[in-house]
Amino acid sequence: MTPNDVQLRKLRKRFRLLDVNGNGVLELTDYQAIAHRFQHQFGLPAGSPGAVVIHETYTRLFTAMHRHGDANGDGHVDEGEFIETSVGSLLKRPDGFDHAIVPVLRVIMQVCDKDGDATLDRDEFRRFLAAEGALAEDTAQALAHLYPGDIQGLDLARLTDATRQFYCSPDPDAPGNWLFGAF
């Protein structure tokens, strides 16, 4: 499957969010920085179960991306390698999204659902996006698309659907495209 323009734009957006230091490559320090932002956004003390699980999760994400994505063996994953790996693992494999992303979403729900109601309310979602590096205007756009009308929270199923749309949907009108804001 060859990604369309919408899919490519979303993957480029995701790469920019993951490349925390902006040096054009994904490194372990980028993923560690995201985990630290989760700690800060959700008040997770160092060594707490939530801090440990989010750090382990983002370390595993980096390790998998590096193992599968560093095509030229230079020790880094650049944007082209990220896109190629994402297409290969998420778009071309029927079970790819469920294998690679759904476990991460379970951890995100565990860490971000501070009130324990099995949903991410608007504030929890804002803090999740801040941890991921989204700007305020992107967060506003994400909320407008993912919390329409009287929707007060995203449960794991809705978060999974939105995330699947972000990574996999070629449909330019899919609400999940806006998971991280404008793309």
Side-chain angles (χ1 to χ4, degrees):
M1 163 181 244
T2 302
N4 71 11
D5 179 62
V6 169
Q7 291 166 307
L8 288 173
R9 289 190 348 241
K10 292 183 293 182
L11 290 173
R12 287 184 187 113
K13 168 79 174 211
R14 187 65 178 130
F15 179 85
R16 288 190 304 274
L17 290 174
L18 291 170
D19 182 16
V20 173
N21 64 14
N23 68 352
V25 294
L26 301 181
E27 304 164 300
L28 180 57
T29 56
D30 294 315
Y31 287 71
Q32 290 170 334
I34 294 168
H36 283 292
R37 290 192 308 221
F38 270 96
Q39 273 187 261
H40 172 73
Q41 287 295 321
F42 291 95
L44 305 171
S48 68
V52 169
V53 73
I54 204 74
H55 278 276
E56 288 174 350
T57 298
Y58 276 81
T59 298
R60 276 194 307 275
L61 276 173
F62 171 77
T63 301
M65 179 54 67
H66 183 261
R67 183 177 57 245
H68 299 291
D70 185 15
N72 62 10
D74 68 356
H76 306 289
V77 176
D78 64 30
E79 184 180 80
E81 291 170 325
F82 173 79
I83 290 170
E84 184 176 321
T85 300
S86 296
V87 168
S89 64
L90 301 175
L91 299 180
K92 292 183 178 179
R93 288 185 53 195
D95 66 338
F97 180 86
D98 291 333
H99 177 73
I101 304 297
V102 171
V104 175
L105 296 176
R106 286 187 184 111
V107 169
I108 286 170
M109 287 297 294
Q110 173 188 340
V111 169
C112 300
D113 178 21
K114 296 304 283 182
D115 60 11
D117 68 352
T119 67
L120 296 183
D121 63 32
R122 289 171 185 265
D123 180 61
E124 291 164 338
F125 186 74
R126 276 186 198 95
R127 294 183 332 175
F128 156 68
L129 288 182
E132 289 287 350
L135 301 174
E137 58 267 18
D138 288 327
T139 299
Q141 291 172 339
L143 284 165
H145 285 85
L146 299 177
Y147 289 79
D150 63 348
I151 300 295
Q152 295 302 310
L154 294 179
D155 61 13
L156 180 59
R158 287 182 60 91
L159 180 63
T160 300
D161 289 344
T163 307
R164 187 182 311 274
Q165 288 173 359
F166 177 83
Y167 281 106
C168 303
S169 178
D171 177 3
D173 298 322
N177 291 345
W178 298 88
L179 179 63
F180 298 107
F183 55 94

